[in-house]
Amino acid sequence: MSSSDRELATCDARGAAGDAAPHAAPLLRTATATAGGKAILLGEHAVVHGQPALALGLARHISIRVQPRDDEVRAVPSEDPRVAAAVDLAADSLGIPASAGFAVEIGGTLPVAVGLGSSAALSVALTRALAASAGQLLSIERLDEVAFGLEKIFHGTPSGVDSATAARGGVTWFEVGPPRRCEPVRLERSLTFVVASTGTRHDTSRTVGSLRERAAAHPEVYSPVLAAIGSLARSARVSLERGDWPKLGRLMSMNHELLRALGVSTTELDDLVARAIDAGAFGAKLTGGGGGGAALVLAGDDPTRVLERLRSAGYECFVDRIEATTGGGGT
Ligand code: PMV
């Protein structure tokens, strides 16, 4: 998906709303849109507490198709009431009247609830598809703003790094602020990485909430750990920009140890990380909310050995890559 300043997702019908007299043309048309997931390279959890994070846009995505209906029904193919609430909020945010019914179809290739930003990808894809259906052009900032509102329905108090990355792709430097910072990071070299799943789903709002309670009860212990993660993210940005993968890998592995100290890892995630390092990876860490879910492995340009080792231990893996030329997120 383009990350130019203004964007319009695929529309099956042409002609902007407003071409004809008001109400003479249908308000909505069939439209489809996608949004990629994300893997946090460094800084998850600490980002909620004001530290910076680096996130990678994934090719794996959620896709949404919006089809107008003749009635006033908004048909949503999910038993999760949060999805229906997100559809309503997206439609309301875009000024789509309640009289304009539509059906939503959800598809895609992104695993759900494993720390890869599926709810943010859903939020961004839904916002894009509804905007395209209504013939609206959204700036990236407005897209992110609306999608962030939707993501709060799923996660309560997210930092916003997921929706910021899903809206932009590439590599994103994110700080919750104020002031909120959301910057594309340029890559000196293409970055290949492995995402490996423990196969267990996780609940981000639960891990974020319980860490928040522990941090509030013992700030003298937790604040320095969170600040240390922020320092790792700052160093990692320099390594990333220089293409220094051995150093970046070491910083990722240190980040994993600090996440363990914060109590958001699991024995499976620790096992996965240890196997990846043992197979020769530059570094590895849990990614996203933890408490299950996925790990991110920096395995170099040829991840074959790491993939073999992790797959033979039963972990599902996929490889993704961010090209040097598009590492700036295309903005
Ligand atoms: O588990 P995910 O993919 O939703 O990632 C959550 C990242 C956190 O830093 C733990 C929470 C947040 O809102 O930034």
Side-chain angles (χ1 to χ4, degrees):
M1 178 61 61
S2 156
S3 52
S4 58
D5 277 357
R6 295 200 166 270
E7 61 168 43
L8 182 62
T10 312
C11 284
D12 293 351
R14 288 190 58 81
D19 277 359
H23 309 302
L27 276 166
L28 301 178
R29 70 195 87 171
T30 301
T32 59
T34 64
K38 69 93 204 28
I40 295 184
L41 187 60
L42 281 99
E44 53 273 272
H45 285 290
V47 70
V48 176
H49 299 264
Q51 298 296 330
L54 280 164
L56 310 176
L58 300 178
R60 300 241 171 166
H61 62 273
I62 298 285
S63 68
I64 298 283
R65 181 177 171 87
V66 172
Q67 184 105 40
R69 288 173 56 115
D70 292 336
D71 54 23
E72 299 189 357
V73 173
R74 291 174 179 171
V76 179
S78 173
E79 285 171 12
D80 183 342
R82 298 175 303 176
V83 178
V87 169
D88 282 338
L89 181 57
D92 292 349
S93 303
L94 297 170
I96 295 172
S99 57
F102 56 85
V104 173
E105 283 171 35
I106 304 174
T109 55
L110 185 67
V112 172
V114 295
L116 302 179
S118 55
S119 57
L122 176 80
S123 301
V124 171
L126 183 60
T127 305
R128 278 182 171 143
L130 276 172
S133 178
Q136 296 180 24
L137 290 167
L138 295 182
S139 66
I140 290 291
E141 289 72 25
R142 177 69 182 140
L143 171 67
D144 185 0
E145 183 184 37
V146 174
F148 184 38
L150 271 51
E151 208 204 339
K152 287 179 187 161
I153 294 172
F154 295 98
H155 282 179
T157 53
S159 63
V161 64
D162 287 17
S163 57
T165 308
R168 289 167 179 82
V171 184
T172 300
W173 173 267
F174 183 86
E175 288 177 49
V176 72
R180 188 179 199 258
R181 282 179 70 189
C182 191
E183 298 168 4
V185 176
R186 290 203 62 79
L187 295 187
E188 182 78 13
R189 295 166 59 194
S190 299
L191 180 72
T192 303
F193 51 95
V194 174
V195 177
S197 175
T198 59
T200 50
R201 291 163 76 95
H202 75 168
D203 179 348
T204 302
S205 52
R206 196 177 55 76
T207 52
V208 169
S210 64
L211 176 57
R212 196 188 293 281
E213 279 171 23
R214 294 195 298 279
H218 300 286
E220 71 290 357
V221 174
Y222 283 87
S223 296
V225 179
L226 294 166
I229 292 176
S231 300
L232 291 178
R234 287 184 196 88
S235 298
R237 180 172 183 167
V238 177
S239 303
L240 197 56
E241 285 169 339
R242 290 184 182 154
D244 185 347
W245 300 159
K247 173 131 189 236
L248 181 61
R250 284 196 297 278
L251 294 167
M252 288 171 65
S253 298
M254 286 165 76
N255 192 168
H256 181 76
E257 293 307 319
L258 293 178
L259 288 164
R260 282 187 69 189
L262 292 176
V264 297
S265 190
T266 63
T267 48
E268 264 191 315
L269 283 164
D270 295 343
D271 174 69
L272 201 166
V273 166
R275 285 176 194 269
I277 304 288
D278 195 48
F282 291 127
K285 59 181 276 295
L286 72 85
T287 190
L296 181 65
V297 182
L298 193 61
D301 290 339
D302 181 8
T304 314
R305 196 152 158 252
V306 166
L307 286 172
E308 276 171 8
R309 190 74 69 86
L310 294 181
R311 284 179 176 147
S312 69
Y315 297 114
E316 268 184 42
C317 304
F318 66 87
V319 180
D320 205 339
R321 181 179 167 91
I322 297 180
E323 301 299 334
T325 46
T326 58
T331 53

